[in-house]
Amino acid sequence: METRHIEAFLAIADELHFGRAAARLHLTQPSLSQQLKRLERHLGVELVSRTSRVVQLTPAGEAFRADARRILGEVHSATNTVRDIAAGRMGKINIGFNGRAGQLIMPRSLAQLHANYPNITTKLTSGRSGPQLTALTRGELDVGLLYGGASNGGSVLSRCLLQMRIGALVGQGHRWADRSSISIRELAETPCVLFNREVSPAMYDAIMTAGERAGAFPKVAEYMNDSVATGITVAARRYVGFASFVSMDEPRPMGLKVVPLVDPEPVVELQVAWRVDSPNEVVQVFLDSLDSTKNFLQSTISGKVYGEPLAS
């Protein structure tokens, strides 16, 4: 049974006139009659009774009419669905993001994605950069928004969305709270709270590379991977933490403040990463929405962009 045969039958059923039905389908009457005969032959029943004056449906034709419409509708729906999936207009995407991406990138990008492609569903997972790279490699994420570039033997691609500065995170009572900047060498003189490298390799390396260039490394008093716990520790014990930022003019929890690090200034890239061999066509659609957000951020960044305690 071919869909064109069903379409021919439905046109005849609607028009009850072979000439009008043929014109509606842009066919000749003999071609229309042939398609009807093939459908009747396939079903083994007569669907249309035709005389020189009257065209009408047989009881079998009346019964088949509703099912024919349903069949044709389901075929068209299935066709549109698979075409949308193949074009990335429909489907599901698993997106990982760190804290900074959650603040700066995700709200606008997701709003645009869902406005343009309402049939795409998203699963969102907040996570640190290191674990995101692992999840990408395992196929647990389709896309990750994280710090640093891809380093998985070529299986993951990435590109930069935004360059972030790295500053010293201090409490309001800390002696550095009113400073305009802090040199990297000074970090060797005060207790610091740092995260383990596997949590955020790119940010960790940026801090350590700056220390190596300055000839002095941070005096690490504790390693702490939880950003909230880090903020509490910095506020309560007057330790120094680390935070990425693009602007200093922003409210922060617990009265915390970010002071720029200099001589040299450590920086880290907020990037989007995805698998080279991903079969998910929605990935490219999401990457396009990220490009729009990236352009928006680069043209509007001001003192309203927020930093976040610790690397994510």
Side-chain angles (χ1 to χ4, degrees), residues 277-296:
D277 59 355
S278 174
N280 192 343
E281 298 293 341
V282 180
V283 169
Q284 186 57 53
V285 171
F286 181 65
L287 293 178
D288 292 342
S289 73
L290 288 177
D291 285 341
S292 176
T293 299
K294 173 184 174 179
N295 294 336
F296 170 80

Side-chain angles (χ1 to χ4, degrees), residues 13 40 68 169 190 203:
E40 291 177 327
L169 182 71
T190 192
M203 186 168 178

Side-chain angles (χ1 to χ4, degrees), residues 56-168:
Q56 62 183 14
L57 298 182
T58 66
E62 290 286 0
F64 182 64
R65 185 177 188 176
D67 286 336
R69 290 195 189 283
R70 177 184 56 77
I71 291 169
L72 203 58
E74 289 178 354
V75 169
H76 289 163
S77 177
T79 300
N80 291 335
T81 296
V82 296
R83 287 176 177 171
D84 284 346
I85 291 174
R89 295 187 296 266
M90 177 182 289
K92 180 179 180 180
I93 184 170
N94 296 323
I95 305 170
F97 59 94
N98 66 11
R100 296 301 282 123
Q103 293 173 325
L104 296 173
I105 305 294
M106 291 297 290
R108 187 178 185 87
S109 294
L110 281 184
Q112 179 177 329
L113 179 72
H114 290 308
N116 294 337
Y117 303 97
N119 292 323
I120 290 177
T121 59
T122 55
K123 179 181 178 182
L124 307 181
T125 303
S126 175
R128 305 302 180 88
S129 299
Q132 280 193 66
L133 282 172
T134 300
L136 278 168
T137 303
R138 293 174 177 171
E140 297 166 1
L141 289 177
D142 294 309
V143 176
L145 277 70
L146 42 82
Y147 286 139
S151 57
N152 294 70
S155 65
V156 175
L157 295 176
S158 64
R159 65 179 182 230
C160 180
L161 297 173
L162 199 62
Q163 183 167 281
M164 313 292 298
R165 301 165 66 189
I166 299 174

Side-chain angles (χ1 to χ4, degrees), residues 191-265:
C192 298
V193 181
L194 188 61
F195 46 90
N196 291 304
R197 185 180 184 277
E198 60 266 23
V199 167
S200 186
M203 186 168 178
Y204 181 96
D205 290 347
I207 295 169
M208 291 303 170
T209 298
E212 182 177 11
R213 290 174 59 191
F217 292 95
K219 179 182 178 181
V220 181
E222 290 189 41
Y223 284 92
M224 196 171 294
N225 295 333
D226 183 277
S227 59
V228 176
T230 297
I232 293 172
T233 300
V234 167
R237 302 186 66 178
R238 298 191 179 181
Y239 282 3
V240 174
F242 297 90
S244 60
F245 70 101
V246 289
S247 172
M248 296 170 56
D249 184 20
E250 59 199 55
R252 297 181 185 275
M254 299 174 284
L256 297 174
K257 182 179 180 181
V258 170
V259 183
L261 291 170
V262 296
D263 301 326
E265 180 183 62

